[in-house]
Amino acid sequence: MAKKIGVYVCTGCGIGDALDIDKVTKVAEKEYKCPVVRTHAHLCGKEGVELIKKDLEGEEGVNAVIVAGCSGRVNTDVFNFGPSVMVERVNLREHVVWCHPANDEDTDMIAEDNMRMGIVKVQKSELPEPYIEEGIVKTILVVGGGLVGLTAALEAAAAGYKVVLIEKEASLGGWVAKQYKQVALRPPYDELRENDIQDIIKQVEDNPNITVYTSAKSEGISGGPGIFEVTINQNGNTVKEKVGAIVLATGAKPYDATKLAHLGFGRFQDVVTKDQFEEMASSGKITRPSDGKEVQSVTFIQCAGSRDPEHLPYCSAECCVGSLRQALYVKEQNPDATAVIIYKDLRAAGQYEFLYKKAQSEGVVFIKGEVVGVNEAGGQVSVEAEDVVRGETVQVDSDLVVLATGMVPTTAFGEEELTVEVKEGEEAEAAAAAADTIIRSDILNLQYRQGPELPSLKYGFPDSHFICFPYESRRTGIYPAGTVRAPMDVRAAIDDAAGAALKAIQCVELTAKGAAVHPRALDFSFPEFNLSRCTQCKRCTEECPFGAINEDEKTYPLPHPTRCRRCGTCMGACPERIISFKNYSVGMIGSMLKNIEVPEEFEEKPRILVFACENDAIPALDIAGINRLEYNPWIRIIPVRCLGSLNLIWIADAMSNGFDGVMLLGCKHGDDYQCHFVKGSELAEIRLSKISETLDRLRLESERVQMRQVSIMDYDQIPKILDEFAEKLEELGPNPMKDF
Amino acid sequence: MAYSFYPGCSMEATGKAYGVSFEAINKALGLEAKDIPDWNCCGATVVANVIGDFPQQAITARNLALAEKNGAGDILVGCSSCFMNLAWVNERFKTEPEFAQKCNEALSAAGLQYNGTLRVRHLLDVLVNDIGLDEIKARTIKPLEGLKVACYSGCQTVRGVRRPDFDDVERPKVLGQIVEAMGATAVPFTHAARCCGGSQQFTNVNMIYDLTGDVLEAAHQAGADVIVTPCPMCHMNCDAYQKKINQVKGRNYDMPVFFITQLMGVAFDLKVKELGFEHNIVSPQKILKRFGL
Amino acid sequence: MCAFKYNPAASREVYNLESGKYAQQCMQCGLCAVTCPARHLMDYTPRQLFKMLFAGEVDKVLKANTPWLCTSCCLCTVRCPRGIPIIDVMHSLKHYHFEKGTKAPVATLSKVFFDSMMKRGRVFELGMTNAYYMKSGFGAIKDAMKMQDVGMAMMKAKRLPLAPPKKVKGLGDVKKIYDKAVALAKEGH
């Protein structure tokens, strides 16, 4: 269907007062011959929306709408006219009148250029058609039958979804099943409660929506969200199940205590781990392994192998509360027995404070300090510690010493490998950046080109952004929860189970609609490959942060659209530019930048092109506008899905079109990255390092193209960043290619 | 309004000025505060040291039981130390059933019992909440204009029941409100609820020098003309030990110390003879002269 | 090894005192220590005292002047984030110490105060003061001489009446209540 573009310019919010609106509408009317161009003083009001609707429904036959006014991040629902109407927003407010002087020729020019880009963008876009796989299933696979797996299964089943649960042991319950008692999840918080895991197991076993496989593991998972095919090996028999999304809940293992000889483990019989102690308590009597006598005194050593650069550098989160619980076992067995807890920091936050107080009132003694030695003295184990509060070395003798060993995620065990073979030569750096560490933990056994398990970033935990999107992994549709994701206690793990189950449900529902999951939820576009021009360079398959692209038998890229997050990293990577989305393509952005009017050199009006990431940089620019922070008027902003989608041709185009400089504004990268698509901004920076040679060859200073990392919180830095760059460009003088 | 009044031992001796001026205010405001018949000493803050908390609290509770039996109304206390004991025991009666039962068992040895029906009120509480600032203002015949007052509520006055009750436990306000209702200025005073050293005069006099010395210094720094307090212990330490502190610490304070009831008597234009100023050690004359007394 | 040896069990008798158990709730934040107006005179702050209890140093706790310097001003008690009634703990420690025969001046004063109270049902302040000095021996009398001017000023201001207060009619009742309460307190612990 031919596009009939209606342009609606809002003059509210001070836009009409600050801009020469005629100039803006003229762009649409005269330059681009848009059939309908209207202005309104309050477009987001009822009347304004009616005005647009009338044109959509009436004889005008408008089918693509450009709203020029506020940022595309606001009023999204107001200007939503259904899936068949393309809507583009041209920012005249946050990026123009709120950050540039009113009634100024240069400000008007920004508005005109933004209008040009908006119109061209619509002209070059198509309405996306959802990609809907055949045979989508909404069953959730839960891997791991401990507390988190069981809870996730029950949550998903309660929401009406079928669940397949696999557990490698012969019985369900995992680590929690081995506990004597549990911490309270509701008042009274100062009392331990009986372990109810058997009730939860029974609920799972009785639930008709849940299929349980014990003594089972995944031998292979192929497909993608909505169409995963899992090969389950149960006691040697193979079963295949189709599932839509996966919750990974395989938990953690205790840190190997044999590495803790300095704390006495292995050297003295009466030094045990917290799990050994738990077993004793469950079996009815807490005794000394050396002589079987009931204990009269127990010392707990916290952070045994945790928060220790020699062992686990991180806090294992559960052990403080675990030792409070276990110290109460000691007191329960014998109120006159002594229990001492030696800790670095007692991390018993929230309601656990009540448990801490309870332990104190039962007479448990707490020593803040570090253990410096464990020895045997007179038939007892003698712990020597630096007592911070007393300011001296102290000695605590007891019948039994319990090491509160930390937790290591089950995903951390196995051989490490990189997803990409790092070759010599020009591409080595990009390949190294794209490479992820995969640990062959033999848990999921994904049949993905990028390796069989979830990529890990640090300490063997599956990589995900723990603040912005917990549960999400680098493999779409697979959601780690509980201690496999991060060290946590029972209470947090239960929340995690519910969170991951909901994520899995969102995933199957969105996938069934053909839409992307977070962070581009409800985006119906997906990358299309023009394979006839593919040179099989494999960059797209290597650089996709989500492992969405396998290779077919002929080593062509084989995209799995349901795994795709629609970031466009593949589009940015492709040297042949054969990858595009219906509404986002190399050509589209290229046309947008080419339609910006670049004044002649003598006009002394430089032009700077900014590619800004939609996730953080665009909001930061919007907030700068909201705060009326002013910056130079030479800036022209093109939002991109992720800097990972940056194709180098855009920079070449910008330079040959006479732009004096190009700036990329993207998210922080590195170990504590903030990139919503994990690797995008990092890859962009590496690609940029390549172009500098090209620029030098063209006798263009490589400083003309720069990248800056900004987060949404850096909005106040925006003017400084942009103005300093403008000053730098002024020093360099105009782009010598302007006149060509 | 009628109250069962608990004077406490000091109102007849070291805090004589308080006892006398309270009686004058009692009459002037029509408080109808009548002594609890045959009241006994509460044990102050020291008796628990040698007999334990519970026996002392049981002895204190006799007064509650007597007041309840007499039926003259809620208990009004002027002395902060007595207030602390009575109010705290009363609080325990109301919030700790086990304690109430045990204490009644002790009281029953004397054929008494306490049902926890009374409130124990500090004089400041009654002044501000029952009489009210408007009434105090209305009664003020000689507004204390220009008088700068350091309002020394004292520690046990505001923290007697340990949790916020009628005033703030850290930064008391009530005494200042009363003083200002009479036209005086309550100067910002950092030590309004600090300890004066209490009853350590004989046992650790340095503590009195240090702590009361700090209070006097704070009042002096605040530019106060006079310290006003509702506590006999604060009064004695600030008044009787002021000269000694001047000697020991090399200071030069000449800071009269009034009971709040004495100051009210001045503002209400009561007979100066009925206000017990002869019991003040630091001469009150320079203040009294300002108001033509 | 010459390191200090923890012996938590040794403090059990202190925790069993009337308000002793509350000491166990201390989390060593130190707010009491910075709050106490008498801290500069104390051997140990309340926080240190509690820490010593955790370690089992009962003798050191009992020798400390800390409880005897507590004036029950209650500031630590209203501030303690753990809600420990520190003044009650101090009372219990003092009582315990007293029973063990301490010669702390405050113990002597408290005892003469109590005796005075039980003699008439109300305290005779002047009589109690004299009794204190008599009981405390030569050193105290020497101290008293230094304080003579304060005493004289008090006498002059008629704040230390020479005559004792009238005896409470129900003095017998006070004694009965006391005896019963002591018996109940012993039962309770």
Side-chain angles (χ1 to χ4, degrees):
Chain A
M1 192 169 62
K3 250 174 267 167
K4 198 165 178 198
I5 301 175
V7 176
Y8 302 87
V9 180
C10 183
T11 57
C13 294
I15 296 169
D17 298 333
L19 290 179
D20 186 342
I21 294 293
D22 281 350
K23 286 190 193 168
V24 181
T25 51
K26 236 174 231 165
V27 169
E29 282 165 354
K30 301 272 149 59
E31 289 181 30
Y32 293 91
K33 316 274 187 246
C34 294
V36 176
V37 180
R38 300 189 199 281
T39 61
H40 191 273
H42 188 46
L43 259 187
C44 61
K46 200 178 165 199
E47 209 183 284
V49 174
E50 284 305 319
L51 177 80
I52 301 172
K53 277 192 181 159
K54 223 172 92 191
D55 288 346
L56 288 168
E57 290 154 10
E59 48 192 71
E60 301 289 350
V62 168
N63 57 11
V65 171
I66 292 176
V67 174
C70 48
S71 161
R73 301 181 67 246
V74 297
N75 287 325
T76 44
D77 48 342
V78 175
F79 298 123
N80 180 0
F81 304 102
S84 60
V85 180
M86 189 185 293
V87 177
E88 177 57 27
R89 306 280 294 275
V90 170
N91 192 326
L92 299 181
R93 195 175 73 170
E94 288 84 348
H95 294 183
V96 185
V97 300
W98 280 359
C99 55
H100 294 291
N103 308 314
D104 187 293
E105 180 193 42
D106 289 327
T107 307
D108 290 337
M109 289 172 97
I110 306 172
E112 290 169 81
D113 280 339
N114 284 2
M115 180 57 83
R116 288 181 187 108
M117 287 193 281
I119 295 169
V120 171
K121 189 175 175 188
V122 170
Q123 287 175 345
K124 298 282 174 183
S125 294
E126 294 300 327
L127 272 177
E129 290 159 27
Y131 178 89
I132 300 176
E133 283 278 358
E134 267 174 50
I136 292 254
V137 287
K138 293 185 179 176
T139 305
I140 313 285
L141 171 72
V142 176
V143 184
L147 178 65
V148 172
L150 295 168
T151 308
L154 285 173
E155 294 282 358
Y161 293 83
K162 288 210 177 303
V163 177
V164 173
L165 187 150
I166 59 176
E167 163 59 47
K168 72 176 184 336
E169 301 293 334
S171 60
L172 295 172
W175 179 74
V176 171
K178 293 178 191 136
Q179 284 182 6
Y180 169 44
K181 284 191 178 176
Q182 284 186 303
V183 292
L185 299 174
R186 52 188 82 78
Y189 290 109
D190 60 350
E191 279 170 25
L192 297 178
R193 65 189 166 99
E194 296 304 317
N195 194 336
D196 65 352
I197 192 82
Q198 294 307 328
D199 300 342
I200 299 172
I201 292 170
K202 191 162 181 330
Q203 284 177 49
V204 167
E205 286 172 343
D206 293 350
N207 194 312
N209 275 335
I210 306 174
T211 310
V212 178
Y213 294 93
T214 49
S215 305
K217 65 185 285 282
S218 160
E219 258 183 2
I221 296 178
S222 61
I227 49 165
F228 284 118
E229 192 170 277
V230 192
T231 308
I232 299 166
N233 183 327
Q234 185 181 35
N235 288 322
N237 300 323
T238 304
V239 189
K240 290 208 190 250
E241 289 274 6
K242 283 201 153 191
V243 301
I246 300 168
V247 173
L248 177 69
T250 46
K253 291 183 185 173
Y255 185 66
D256 181 5
T258 60
K259 293 180 187 160
L260 302 174
H262 64 292
L263 299 178
F265 192 86
R267 283 160 55 216
F268 311 111
Q269 262 188 294
D270 295 332
V271 177
V272 300
T273 67
K274 66 173 186 196
D275 295 286
Q276 292 171 325
F277 182 85
E278 197 76 40
E279 218 171 290
M280 271 197 257
S282 300
S283 69
K285 268 273 173 282
I286 303 165
T287 54
R288 283 156 55 95
S290 60
D291 55 13
K293 279 191 191 142
E294 208 175 292
V295 294
Q296 297 301 317
S297 50
V298 182
T299 301
F300 295 86
I301 298 177
Q302 299 308 107
C303 300
S306 291
R307 300 178 68 193
D308 181 342
E310 304 279 309
H311 299 278
L312 301 175
Y314 52 84
C315 166
S316 288
E318 189 274 339
C319 340
C320 282
V321 173
S323 292
L324 291 174
R325 196 184 69 228
Q326 295 188 335
L328 287 171
Y329 300 167
V330 177
K331 289 289 182 179
E332 183 190 85
Q333 174 167 314
N334 176 7
D336 285 340
T338 310
V340 177
I341 295 180
I342 303 175
Y343 67 95
K344 284 183 191 159
D345 298 291
L346 204 77
R347 292 181 173 170
Q351 311 293 3
Y352 290 135
E353 178 75 359
F354 292 102
L355 197 67
Y356 174 24
K357 281 164 92 169
K358 168 76 167 184
Q360 284 189 309
S361 64
E362 294 289 323
V364 177
V365 170
F366 294 84
I367 299 176
K368 181 177 170 66
E370 297 238 15
V371 171
V372 292
V374 177
N375 297 288
E376 208 155 16
Q380 287 193 310
V381 188
S382 175
V383 179
E384 219 181 11
E386 297 289 355
D387 185 329
V388 173
V389 178
R390 288 184 67 95
E392 63 179 341
T393 307
V394 298
Q395 183 186 336
V396 185
D397 295 348
S398 52
D399 293 340
L400 187 69
V401 167
V402 181
L403 303 182
T405 42
M407 52 178 87
V408 184
T410 44
T411 45
F413 298 89
E415 231 172 277
E416 278 187 27
E417 64 177 34
L418 290 175
T419 51
V420 174
E421 201 184 320
V422 180
K423 301 156 279 198
E424 295 280 313
E426 207 189 321
E427 301 304 322
E429 208 182 343
D436 294 316
T437 307
I438 299 277
I439 300 168
R440 289 188 166 272
S441 54
D442 191 23
I443 293 172
L444 293 170
N445 291 309
L446 302 171
Q447 286 157 7
Y448 281 39
R449 182 187 187 274
Q450 294 190 6
E453 302 293 335
L454 301 179
S456 74
L457 184 68
K458 260 185 172 177
Y459 316 131
F461 291 97
D463 180 18
S464 89
H465 198 283
F466 68 101
I467 296 170
C468 294
F469 16 98
Y471 320 124
E472 281 180 23
S473 73
R474 296 271 304 280
R475 296 295 174 256
T476 309
I478 305 179
Y479 302 100
T483 53
V484 71
R485 178 174 82 78
M488 66 183 73
D489 64 282
V490 164
R491 175 186 287 272
I494 291 170
D495 286 350
D496 239 42
L502 289 173
K503 274 280 169 192
I505 290 169
Q506 282 177 358
C507 173
V508 294
E509 290 300 337
L510 287 165
T511 304
K513 285 196 182 96
V517 298
H518 181 266
R520 295 190 62 82
L522 290 170
D523 181 355
F524 288 102
S525 71
F526 60 91
E528 291 167 53
F529 293 67
N530 182 359
L531 289 180
S532 61
R533 280 180 22 230
C534 174
T535 60
Q536 295 165 298
C537 76
K538 302 192 196 323
R539 277 187 222 166
C540 58
T541 62
E542 286 171 352
E543 292 190 12
C544 173
F546 304 104
I549 310 168
N550 276 14
E551 264 171 51
D552 67 10
E553 318 82 69
K554 293 177 189 155
T555 74
Y556 281 106
L558 177 64
H560 283 74
T562 68
R563 294 183 199 166
C564 174
R565 304 260 181 113
R566 283 75 161 171
C567 58
T569 298
C570 51
M571 179 177 117
C574 181
E576 297 299 316
R577 302 189 290 282
I578 64 157
I579 306 171
S580 58
F581 297 77
K582 282 266 191 298
N583 55 4
Y584 189 60
S585 63
V586 176
M588 181 190 96
I589 302 282
S591 300
M592 283 166 73
L593 73 90
K594 283 176 197 160
N595 275 271
I596 294 168
E597 286 211 338
V598 180
E600 302 286 322
E601 190 181 328
F602 70 86
E603 290 182 59
E604 293 187 350
K605 289 186 190 297
R607 283 293 176 260
I608 303 165
L609 190 60
V610 173
F611 291 108
C613 162
E614 283 177 5
N615 300 294
D616 263 37
I618 287 288
L621 284 158
D622 281 2
I623 298 170
I626 289 165
N627 286 283
R628 307 298 199 274
L629 304 179
E630 197 176 325
Y631 47 86
N632 71 77
W634 321 131
I635 302 291
R636 297 295 180 267
I637 299 162
I638 296 184
V640 292
R641 291 185 173 192
C642 172
L643 280 192
S645 66
L646 177 95
N647 196 295
L648 290 183
I649 192 79
W650 298 339
I651 293 178
D653 284 349
M655 294 324 282
S656 56
N657 273 277
F659 279 92
D660 298 281
V662 176
M663 172 160 275
L664 313 183
L665 290 179
C667 303
K668 189 171 188 241
H669 54 75
D671 274 1
D672 49 351
Y673 65 85
Q674 292 211 332
C675 177
H676 287 51
F677 299 105
V678 189
K679 297 267 177 174
S681 56
E682 189 177 0
L683 288 166
E685 184 141 29
I686 288 160
R687 288 179 202 151
L688 210 55
S689 68
K690 306 245 151 19
I691 207 167
S692 59
E693 291 162 36
T694 322
L695 290 171
D696 288 342
R697 245 179 277 136
L698 290 167
R699 297 180 188 253
L700 277 172
E701 301 81 351
S702 55
E703 296 110 297
R704 286 189 189 275
V705 185
Q706 286 189 12
M707 169 164 172
R708 292 294 294 271
Q709 300 178 20
V710 290
S711 87
I712 195 164
M713 303 298 289
D714 295 333
Y715 68 89
D716 57 331
Q717 301 296 311
I718 291 283
K720 189 165 169 269
I721 293 170
L722 297 178
D723 289 345
E724 275 177 5
F725 187 48
E727 275 164 39
K728 178 77 204 167
L729 292 172
E730 206 180 320
E731 268 172 45
L732 294 173
N735 176 353
M737 311 203 31
K738 253 191 215 295
D739 298 333
F740 293 103
Chain B
M1 267 175 285
Y3 302 90
S4 301
F5 185 54
Y6 183 85
C9 304
S10 68
M11 277 210 183
E12 295 181 347
T14 50
K16 186 91 180 162
Y18 201 10
V20 172
S21 56
F22 173 78
E23 206 36 57
I25 293 303
N26 186 15
K27 254 186 267 167
L29 291 176
L31 284 175
E32 297 174 53
K34 289 184 200 76
D35 286 9
I36 297 169
D38 205 43
W39 60 270
N40 61 269
C41 173
C42 67
T45 49
V46 293
V47 165
N49 297 342
V50 293
I51 66 172
D53 274 322
F54 180 71
Q56 180 182 352
Q57 287 167 352
I59 293 171
T60 300
R62 175 175 175 268
N63 299 301
L64 303 178
L66 290 175
E68 194 179 59
K69 198 168 137 190
N70 190 42
D74 282 345
I75 298 171
L76 170 59
V77 192
C79 169
S80 299
S81 191
C82 302
F83 170 70
M84 181 184 212
N85 284 330
L86 270 77
W88 181 239
V89 173
N90 197 41
E91 173 84 6
R92 292 195 73 184
F93 256 100
K94 291 183 180 191
T95 57
E96 298 173 47
E98 256 177 68
F99 171 84
Q101 196 200 341
K102 201 164 128 184
C103 211
N104 270 329
E105 211 178 322
L107 289 174
S108 68
L112 289 169
Q113 76 154 10
Y114 178 56
N115 301 312
T117 59
L118 300 179
R119 291 171 71 198
V120 175
R121 314 279 305 277
H122 192 275
L123 175 63
L124 292 187
D125 178 11
V126 166
L127 286 176
V128 78
N129 292 313
D130 293 5
I131 302 295
L133 296 172
D134 290 343
E135 179 68 11
I136 292 170
K137 205 171 183 175
R139 295 258 176 182
T140 299
I141 293 168
K142 276 191 185 159
L144 306 173
E145 264 157 37
L147 186 66
K148 287 187 251 166
V149 181
C151 294
Y152 188 23
S153 302
C155 53
Q156 294 171 346
T157 311
V158 292
R159 291 191 287 271
V161 286
R162 303 182 188 192
R163 37 193 89 108
D165 190 30
F166 66 92
D167 207 348
D168 191 275
V169 294
E170 299 261 3
R171 300 226 154 236
K173 294 171 199 69
V174 165
L175 184 57
Q177 290 166 351
I178 295 169
V179 163
E180 299 222 320
M182 298 188 291
T185 304
V187 295
F189 183 45
T190 51
H191 282 51
R194 297 286 180 89
C195 179
C196 64
S199 58
Q200 295 271 7
Q201 300 92 349
F202 311 130
T203 48
N204 202 327
V205 74
N206 285 330
M207 198 155 135
I208 306 296
Y209 297 157
D210 289 353
L211 271 56
T212 302
D214 284 352
V215 171
L216 292 170
E217 180 62 19
H220 174 71
Q221 291 291 344
D225 303 321
V226 60
I227 292 174
V228 168
T229 180
C231 172
M233 195 60 85
C234 297
H235 187 276
M236 180 164 76
N237 284 335
C238 290
D239 187 31
Y241 284 81
Q242 197 174 116
K243 199 171 160 195
K244 201 79 192 169
I245 288 165
N246 282 343
Q247 286 167 11
V248 175
K249 300 248 170 197
R251 307 224 180 117
N252 200 21
Y253 306 124
D254 182 20
M255 180 78 70
V257 187
F258 285 14
F259 282 106
I260 178 62
T261 41
Q262 290 181 299
L263 193 69
M264 289 172 80
V266 172
F268 294 176
D269 203 21
L270 304 182
K271 282 182 196 142
V272 72
K273 277 184 185 161
E274 290 175 6
L275 299 177
F277 281 113
E278 69 272 28
H279 303 297
N280 286 42
I281 292 171
V282 176
S283 169
Q285 288 311 320
K286 63 175 181 178
I287 304 295
L288 296 179
K289 266 186 203 150
R290 283 169 67 163
F291 301 100
L293 298 170
Chain C
M1 252 192 301
C2 54
F4 169 80
K5 213 163 161 174
Y6 265 64
N7 182 17
S11 297
R12 206 167 286 146
E13 56 176 324
V14 175
Y15 301 140
N16 285 335
L17 300 176
E18 188 172 0
S19 297
K21 63 178 178 195
Y22 300 115
Q24 295 181 123
Q25 297 287 5
C26 173
M27 58 180 188
Q28 296 287 299
C29 74
L31 193 57
C32 54
V34 296
T35 289
C36 181
R39 64 185 177 276
H40 61 294
L41 301 168
M42 287 176 171
D43 296 337
Y44 307 104
T45 65
R47 179 195 68 75
Q48 285 174 308
L49 216 61
F50 297 150
K51 177 69 180 170
M52 281 160 18
L53 279 178
F54 299 157
E57 294 177 289
V58 182
D59 289 346
K60 242 168 131 180
V61 169
L62 291 180
K63 278 185 196 130
N65 68 0
T66 308
W68 300 106
L69 289 173
C70 170
T71 61
S72 306
C73 86
C74 230
L75 195 54
C76 58
T77 303
V78 298
R79 282 184 182 173
C80 176
R82 272 303 178 81
I84 302 172
I86 300 175
I87 64 167
D88 296 343
V89 179
M90 293 300 161
H91 282 156
S92 293
L93 282 172
K94 285 185 273 193
H95 185 208
Y96 183 66
H97 200 177
F98 173 75
E99 304 249 285
K100 293 222 163 187
T102 179
K103 292 273 181 283
V106 176
T108 310
L109 179 86
S110 305
K111 182 66 170 63
V112 298
F113 189 106
F114 175 63
D115 291 343
S116 174
M117 166 179 162
M118 293 307 277
K119 198 166 175 185
R120 295 180 188 82
R122 292 178 194 172
V123 163
F124 175 33
E125 287 175 317
L126 181 65
M128 180 198 83
T129 310
N130 291 336
Y132 170 73
Y133 284 120
M134 297 304 287
K135 271 207 170 177
S136 303
F138 184 65
I141 302 211
K142 232 170 74 182
D143 285 345
M145 299 298 279
K146 280 191 230 155
M147 302 307 294
Q148 224 177 4
D149 44 352
V150 179
M152 289 308 290
M154 289 287 284
M155 300 282 268
K156 251 202 220 156
K158 292 179 229 132
R159 288 167 76 165
L160 284 173
L162 296 170
K166 265 198 288 181
K167 199 191 265 183
V168 169
K169 279 182 235 143
L171 182 61
D173 284 355
V174 174
K175 284 182 176 159
K176 278 183 213 159
I177 293 168
Y178 167 67
D179 289 340
K180 182 72 185 167
V182 169
L184 285 169
K186 281 204 176 112
E187 255 173 52
H189 297 284

